[in-house]
Amino acid sequence: MTVKDILDAIQSPESTSADFAALPLPESYRAITVHKDETEMFAGLPTRDKDPRKSLHLDEVPLPELGPGEALVAVMASSVNYNSVWTSIFEPLSTFGFLERYGRTNELAKRHDLPYHIIGSDLAGVVLRTGPGVNAWKPGDEVVAHCLSVELESSDGHNDTMLDPEQRIWGFETNFGGLAEIALVKSNQLMPKPDHLSWEEAAAPGLVNSTAYRQLVSRNGAGMKQGDNVLIWGASGGLGSYATQFALAGGANPICVVSSPQKAEICRSMGAEAIIDRNAEGYKFWKDERTQDPKEWKRFGKRIRELTGGEDIDIVFEHPGRETFGASVYVTRKGGTITTCASTSGYLHEYDNRYLWMSLKRIIGSHFANYREAWEANRLIAKGKIHPTLSKVYSLEDTGQAAHDVHRNVHQGKVGVLCLAPEEGLGVRDHEMRAKHLDAINRFRNI
Ligand SMILES: C/C=C/C(=O)SCCNC(=O)CCNC(=O)[C@H](O)C(C)(C)COP(=O)(O)OP(=O)(O)OC[C@H]1O[C@@H](n2cnc3c(N)ncnc32)[C@H](O)[C@@H]1OP(=O)(O)O
Ligand SMILES: NC(=O)C1=CN([C@@H]2O[C@H](COP(=O)(O)OP(=O)(O)OC[C@H]3O[C@@H](n4cnc5c(N)ncnc54)[C@H](OP(=O)(O)O)[C@@H]3O)[C@@H](O)[C@H]2O)C=CC1
């Protein structure tokens, strides 16, 4: 039995759930990995020069044992997230520490502590097997998977699953991720695949869409409302392309920051009107590595006021971190919110706290999304209210190049990866709905 037989079953319109359940599983499959004995390979290099093409490998790996409450999924497509970039450059730390720590928690978790890490935190595919205790899903179901892995043994996570002390991001802090032909997930990560999307389109939104939903829309994040001025950094990037859609769909007013005329045009085509090209306008928030320039914060704030008719920002959607955080705090209106989920340019932030406390602003930390938020975010995709922002699609072999593009910020929106899917465009079930949204679905393609 090989993965080829699995693909044949997926592509045959006659295959039933019983057929999938009867398919023998292969002993091994192909997966994108980093290697534990290579974690020092980039030592001494500047971040920019650490090259994912050197550290990401396509390996044949053994199929992991299936445990209670879990599912093995045949992965048709996945996507590149920035967490895979972090893994591939071993920053801010090697992810093998996460696997070792997880492996110490119980006998079954030991499976994750291996000398290789199969990465990837998105997938669209077909359930192959479910473990004991799984009733909601069965072999043959077409699914996407969100990346929240929790144990829920402690009451801390019972209101908000993100608060579980054993909260992990699948494919980053666990093994057996989605950049592979087969993935192992907890069954409560599974959600229905949107019928009107191809495999690679369905695999694109998951992680970033759920994160943007919590960070911006959910009451656990900024709780955006109609009319809010929302400053969105990287508005055509992974997170930003969904934040921009949420702002527009929710009746807010996105102020989109991008770094090229091409990216500005994408935001315009999504429906945004207030757009700042940070490159063209040459903001230099830092005079040198240690000193910020409040005059530049003010120049940025003035530009925002020009675009909003004199209003300041209600919500900043933050993720660049050190480079922008001082400016983000400054341009927020009295009582406004800065919501942050990352620090791409550096995690030690500096801002002038007088502008925070005197103007009663709030900083909210946000991370991925709880089970319910991830489900709600996927539902919006399935209903055609929010669309995938897939630009380019790579083969599994070329994942290193795909991650390199994201690391160097030469991509747009989301970058997809075909795993078992032999070509793009497969897996669409609802052609009528697709036709209705085709322009929006293709907005980011091949630009
Ligand atoms: C969905 C996608 C998301 C993304 O893309 S996010 C971007 C990528 N992710 C990242 O960049 C984050 C990567 N992770 C990290 O950098 C680290 O992961 C953290 C900084 C988040 C945490 O650091 P650590 O060293 O793993 O954890 P500690 O909590 O500092 O625990 C170390 C020891 O310190 C103890 N400790 C924790 N808090 C306290 C405290 N308040 N007072 C005293 N001790 C404390 C702990 O218990 C533990 O101890 P013991 O080593 O013995 O187990
Ligand atoms: N905590 C969580 O749950 C999550 C955290 N993340 C983290 O968020 C970050 C962004 O992820 P994602 O959106 O997918 O990545 P992308 O690279 O797809 O998009 C980020 C965008 O931010 C902009 N940007 C990058 N650096 C700077 C800078 N120094 N100043 C201003 N803008 C900048 C760029 O847009 P432009 O050049 O056009 O301005 C870029 O396109 C990563 O660090 C990632 O790990 C992501 C998802 C979930």
Side-chain angles (χ1 to χ4, degrees):
M1 171 57 53
T2 64
V3 287
K4 170 80 175 56
D5 301 305
I6 294 172
L7 180 60
D8 289 345
I10 293 172
Q11 292 194 288
S12 160
E14 270 96 57
S15 296
T16 62
S17 178
D19 294 332
F20 279 99
L23 267 183
L25 294 176
E27 283 179 6
S28 65
Y29 63 99
R30 295 187 316 154
I32 296 296
T33 65
V34 284
H35 294 178
K36 197 171 192 171
D37 60 6
E38 291 183 350
T39 57
E40 293 302 316
M41 70 191 292
F42 299 132
L45 287 179
T47 297
R48 190 186 151 75
D49 295 340
K50 298 180 180 177
D51 188 340
R53 291 170 299 188
K54 294 191 174 137
S55 54
L56 293 180
H57 304 280
L58 180 61
D59 289 338
E60 190 77 23
V61 295
L63 191 74
E65 179 196 340
L66 177 65
E70 295 180 340
L72 283 167
V73 183
V75 184
M76 293 298 275
S78 182
S79 85
V80 173
N81 284 295
Y82 216 100
N83 65 350
S84 293
V85 174
W86 292 121
T87 305
S88 71
I89 62 173
F90 308 105
E91 284 195 24
L93 27 81
S94 151
T95 48
F96 286 99
F98 302 141
L99 304 184
E100 285 164 17
R101 195 183 285 186
Y102 190 22
R104 284 196 294 270
T105 59
N106 64 61
E107 205 44 45
L108 203 59
K110 266 191 196 151
R111 287 170 304 169
H112 291 260
D113 182 10
L114 294 168
Y116 57 87
H117 185 184
I118 303 168
I119 62 168
S121 303
D122 273 318
L123 72 72
V126 177
V127 174
L128 291 175
R129 287 284 192 285
T130 54
V134 178
N135 298 311
W137 303 98
K138 58 182 189 317
D141 285 347
E142 297 187 350
V143 293
V144 291
H146 69 68
C147 63
L148 173 59
S149 166
V150 282
E151 309 301 322
L152 293 182
E153 289 185 301
S154 154
S155 65
D156 288 358
H158 290 180
N159 264 347
D160 176 359
T161 47
M162 277 305 293
L163 299 186
D164 189 69
E166 297 295 326
Q167 179 271 318
R168 292 182 175 82
I169 298 299
W170 161 70
F172 179 65
E173 291 157 311
T174 78
N175 218 321
F176 317 119
L179 285 163
E181 292 171 332
I182 296 178
L184 180 75
V185 298
K186 289 186 188 287
S187 68
N188 43 27
Q189 288 175 241
L190 298 175
M191 306 185 292
K193 171 189 167 287
D195 282 341
H196 66 299
L197 299 179
S198 67
W199 296 111
E200 64 281 3
E201 290 161 356
L207 182 148
V208 283
N209 182 45
S210 308
T211 305
Y213 183 76
R214 180 180 176 111
Q215 189 176 345
L216 189 56
V217 179
S218 164
R219 271 166 280 179
N220 289 317
M224 183 193 80
K225 62 180 184 347
Q226 291 182 17
D228 278 349
N229 289 320
V230 183
L231 179 70
I232 303 172
W233 291 104
S236 71
L239 288 168
S241 57
Y242 294 88
T244 301
Q245 292 187 68
F246 284 128
L248 290 166
N253 174 32
I255 292 91
C256 295
V257 187
V258 292
S259 63
S260 71
Q262 201 181 21
K263 290 181 174 187
E265 192 45 46
I266 297 176
C267 293
R268 212 164 282 122
S269 81
M270 280 195 278
E273 288 170 9
I275 299 163
I276 298 175
D277 180 339
R278 65 183 172 101
N279 225 3
E281 298 186 21
Y283 297 106
K284 272 193 86 187
F285 300 132
W286 290 81
K287 286 186 202 163
D288 58 52
E289 275 194 8
R290 296 224 180 108
T291 327
Q292 296 202 59
D293 186 352
K295 283 208 197 80
E296 283 293 272
W297 298 347
K298 191 167 220 162
R299 184 162 77 90
F300 184 55
K302 271 192 178 159
R303 181 77 185 107
I304 290 169
R305 285 180 178 179
E306 274 170 27
L307 292 167
T308 58
E311 294 177 345
D312 291 333
I313 295 296
D314 296 283
I315 301 168
V316 183
F317 187 83
E318 245 293 336
H319 50 90
R322 183 171 174 84
E323 185 91 20
T324 54
F325 207 81
S328 291
V329 170
Y330 180 80
V331 300
T332 302
R333 68 175 288 201
K334 253 189 175 198
T337 302
I338 302 98
T339 171
T340 173
C341 75
S343 293
T344 313
S345 64
Y347 48 73
L348 293 177
H349 297 184
E350 278 179 36
Y351 63 89
D352 185 335
N353 199 36
R354 294 171 300 171
Y355 291 110
L356 190 85
W357 100 71
M358 293 298 284
S359 294
L360 302 102
K361 304 176 189 182
R362 292 182 305 153
I363 296 172
I364 296 180
S366 191
H367 186 37
F368 189 60
N370 64 32
Y371 279 175
R372 182 65 199 171
E373 289 159 343
W375 187 278
E376 286 172 6
N378 184 57
R379 176 173 169 269
L380 290 170
I381 301 280
K383 286 190 168 296
K385 304 266 187 202
I386 302 291
H387 302 286
T389 60
L390 187 66
S391 57
K392 208 166 170 184
V393 179
Y394 285 87
S395 65
L396 193 58
E397 289 84 344
D398 290 332
T399 302
Q401 183 61 46
H404 183 259
D405 286 4
V406 174
H407 183 29
R408 286 296 179 92
N409 194 22
V410 295
H411 68 300
Q412 321 278 358
K414 288 290 300 175
V415 174
V417 174
L418 295 181
C419 299
L420 281 172
E423 61 194 75
E424 295 179 39
L426 304 175
V428 178
R429 297 267 175 202
D430 186 342
H431 292 274
E432 200 181 320
M433 180 171 170
R434 182 180 181 78
K436 227 167 100 187
H437 298 293
L438 200 57
D439 287 349
I441 293 168
N442 285 330
R443 178 162 289 128
F444 282 67
R445 292 310 296 256
N446 303 318
I447 38 173

